[in-house]
Amino acid sequence: MTALTLSTAAAPGLRADAIVIGVAKGAQGPVVAPGAEAVDKAYDGRLAGVLETLGASGAEGELTKLPAPAGFKAPLVVAVGLGALPDGENAAADAGTEDGDGGDTGYDAEALRRAAGLAARALAGSRKAAFALPVDSPGAIGAISEGVLLGAYSFDTYKSDARNAGNARAKNGKAPLAEAALLGGKPRDAAHKGAVARAVAVSEELNRARDLINTPPNDLTPAAFAAIAQAAAKEHGIKVQVLDDKALVKGGYGGILGVGGGSAATPRLVKLSYKHPKATKHLAFVGKGITYDSGGISLKPAGHNETMKCDMSGAAAVFAAVVSAARLGLEVDVTGWLALAENMPSGSAVRPGDVLRMYSGKTVEVLNTDAEGRLVLADALWAASQENPDAIVDVATLTGAMMLALGSRTFGVMANDDAFRSAVHEAAEEVGEPAWPMPLPEHLRKGMESQVADIANMGERMGGGLVAGLFLREFVGEGITWAHLDIAGPAFNEGGPFGYTPKGGTGSAVRTLVRLAELTAAGDLG
């Protein structure tokens, strides 16, 4: 992963392949953002005009390259758009004044994160880049660090191009940016160093989640995923328990066994337990881990199978979040449950009309085998409930209905407690993961009534994402606060990369879960 350094060096004398600066969208044209004063001075204060001549406006997602001014040791300046100027900054910018006192520039953390990610991706193949973006707080340092580390991500494990010799990762034939120097960061400042350390820990685990999501299903079976979790747990002092198919039968995990019964790759339930000696709260995270989803007997139509290796994104997010909590040493107990299975059609596959007896003892009539995620989650939710945690959060690429409702970049948040739903939503927005609170309308529960079982795994077609949430609620222990994150939209990016988000697996919800753990450890979450 890209190496990060904090530097108080001046941009002109720094040896690097490029200097990255920010440019905002002002009321009367582009405005050079704080951090780039030395670069602007070298252009005789006319850098904004030069950028405007080159077509730059400062809009988010915009990147402009231009030769560095005379006297600079770096040959290239890369200007990245930060979007609209912060509130109250337009007047100062239009009056030609500068914020030179080192005060709060007011730039949104997510804008900095996306701009840094865009630049890091564009600088693939470079040895070193200096990031002269607005830095006014440890939060800004952390956001820029995350943007660089997530934006430089590349998955090329399976490419045999000679340029990838020695398994070195490459982006379009170019190695990811090797080093990023964050100008304005103070190497001796504990808060600045802490912000970088946190960014490194979370970003490394988030990128590991992306790797898992992008790994083809012939290599990432439930057993293989479990083995990866075991290795990581051993490395970071996390207790791990893996239930294989025999143990699942003995324990009565009918949901996981039913879904995984059609595959030669047998299912697993993995429990990861991170404990801190000073913890007073306990969070449980539950992840859907369908390593490949064909739909089972209710086979998906052509055109809907190709990306179904991503159906374990929830389990990947939970795995990454637990390891992140351990690496950060958070004063909270965090248990992760990975419900792993492969949903395939065969003579031993569960059929529409079958009735499964779940781990909770409830029976479920399976009306559609492609509504399998809720079945494996139901068993894991009940298992998590037996430890009576302070809260449970499940994460799943659960329904196409949620994608229809919220699009491809926003996940839905449902909960059995309105205050907790709001807290989860706020945590997601705080870390830059778009989310939206969704209801659990009681009238939709009636559609899941079954004549032969306690509940059916399907209900009304309209509001299908909410129906799935209501189903999951049935398997949460009484009195336990619970939230459900349906990440079907943002978990896998089928379009082009943007900001720090690559094409393919995104690692959606990892940062939200980590933030929830941090808030809980600090006593700020219930």
Side-chain angles (χ1 to χ4, degrees):
M1 201 164 70
T2 304
L4 296 178
T5 58
L6 295 169
S7 176
T8 57
L14 191 65
R15 294 187 182 277
D17 297 301
I19 305 291
V20 178
I21 65 170
V23 55
K25 189 173 184 178
Q28 298 182 17
V31 177
V32 177
E37 292 83 1
V39 180
D40 189 30
K41 182 178 180 181
Y43 280 98
D44 296 325
R46 295 181 293 181
L47 179 53
V50 172
L51 290 169
E52 188 170 24
T53 299
L54 294 174
S57 68
E60 183 181 315
E62 190 177 76
L63 183 143
T64 307
K65 295 181 179 180
L66 64 161
F72 273 60
K73 292 184 178 180
L76 181 69
V77 171
V78 177
V80 284
L82 294 171
L85 277 167
D87 293 342
E89 293 291 315
N90 268 303
D94 293 339
T97 61
E98 295 182 358
D99 178 12
D101 61 0
D104 186 359
T105 62
Y107 283 88
D108 178 70
E110 180 64 5
L112 295 175
R113 194 179 289 116
R114 291 178 180 174
L118 174 63
R121 182 157 40 84
L123 289 169
S126 299
R127 179 184 57 84
K128 182 177 181 179
F131 284 73
L133 294 172
V135 171
D136 54 46
S137 66
I141 289 284
I144 295 168
S145 299
E146 283 186 1
V148 170
L149 298 175
L150 299 179
Y153 172 82
S154 179
F155 183 76
D156 294 279
T157 302
Y158 292 86
K159 293 185 178 180
S160 56
D161 192 306
R163 288 169 293 191
N164 295 340
N167 290 324
R169 290 190 170 186
K171 187 186 293 292
N172 298 323
K174 298 179 181 179
L177 174 64
E179 181 183 350
L182 309 186
L183 304 189
K186 301 173 183 177
R188 297 180 182 275
D189 186 288
H192 284 200
K193 290 191 295 182
V196 171
R198 180 193 181 278
V200 169
V202 176
S203 297
E204 282 185 349
E205 296 311 321
L206 193 152
N207 283 339
R208 174 155 43 185
R210 289 173 169 177
D211 284 350
L212 288 167
I213 297 164
N214 289 326
T215 299
N218 57 317
D219 280 350
L220 192 71
T221 60
F225 195 153
I228 292 169
Q230 286 177 303
K234 182 178 180 180
E235 179 183 357
H236 296 290
I238 299 168
K239 185 178 180 181
V240 61
Q241 179 184 14
V242 178
L243 300 184
D244 62 13
D245 51 326
K246 294 179 181 178
L248 291 170
V249 169
K250 184 177 180 180
Y253 292 86
I256 297 175
L257 288 165
V259 173
S263 174
T266 55
R268 299 288 188 274
L269 177 62
V270 178
K271 177 186 177 183
L272 298 165
S273 301
Y274 161 68
K275 292 185 178 296
H276 192 283
K278 295 182 180 180
T280 59
K281 296 286 186 179
H282 176 201
L283 290 179
F285 297 150
V286 177
K288 173 187 173 184
I290 303 299
T291 57
Y292 182 73
D293 182 20
S294 70
I297 297 298
S298 305
L299 194 67
K300 293 180 183 291
H304 290 76
N305 280 301
E306 289 76 7
T307 62
M308 282 299 101
K309 65 181 181 180
C310 80
D311 213 18
M312 36 59 65
S313 296
V318 167
F319 169 47
V322 176
V323 177
S324 294
R327 291 182 61 172
L328 295 173
L330 301 182
E331 292 186 12
V332 58
D333 290 342
V334 182
T335 305
W337 299 83
L338 317 181
L340 308 176
E342 187 176 67
N343 187 25
M344 296 291 285
S346 76
S348 59
V350 67
R351 296 153 291 212
D354 283 355
V355 173
L356 303 177
R357 185 171 295 279
M358 313 297 281
Y359 181 54
S360 69
K362 287 186 179 181
T363 54
V364 176
E365 182 183 11
V366 179
L367 299 180
N368 187 323
T369 66
D370 196 24
E372 85 299 331
R374 65 199 70 182
L375 298 175
V376 300
L377 285 173
D379 277 354
L381 283 168
W382 189 253
S385 296
Q386 302 317 293
E387 297 189 340
N388 197 33
D390 293 285
I392 299 175
V393 181
D394 78 69
V395 188
T397 47
L398 206 61
T399 66
M402 196 56 58
M403 296 178 68
L404 292 173
L406 299 178
S408 61
R409 297 191 184 184
T410 304
F411 62 73
V413 182
M414 286 157 261
N416 61 3
D417 179 273
D418 288 346
F420 189 60
R421 181 184 63 187
S422 296
V424 173
H425 175 223
E426 290 170 5
E429 294 290 341
E430 181 183 349
V431 298
E433 294 194 313
W436 197 251
M438 303 292 284
L440 289 174
E442 293 298 334
H443 70 273
L444 291 175
R445 172 62 179 83
K446 185 175 178 62
M448 290 184 285
E449 292 182 357
S450 167
Q451 291 185 338
V452 298
D454 296 324
I455 191 172
N457 77 328
M458 293 292 288
E460 294 183 27
R461 179 171 176 269
M462 299 301 177
L466 312 182
V467 170
L470 286 165
F471 179 90
L472 294 178
R473 191 183 65 179
E474 297 279 324
F475 298 90
V476 177
E478 186 176 354
I480 298 176
T481 301
W482 158 80
H484 161 56
L485 313 185
D486 190 335
I487 62 169
F492 197 85
N493 177 26
E494 296 187 62
F498 58 93
Y500 53 84
T501 302
K503 185 178 177 68
T506 66
S508 177
V510 171
R511 289 177 295 142
T512 297
L513 295 181
V514 173
R515 187 62 186 142
L516 289 173
E518 288 176 326
L519 291 168
T520 302
D524 296 330
L525 190 72

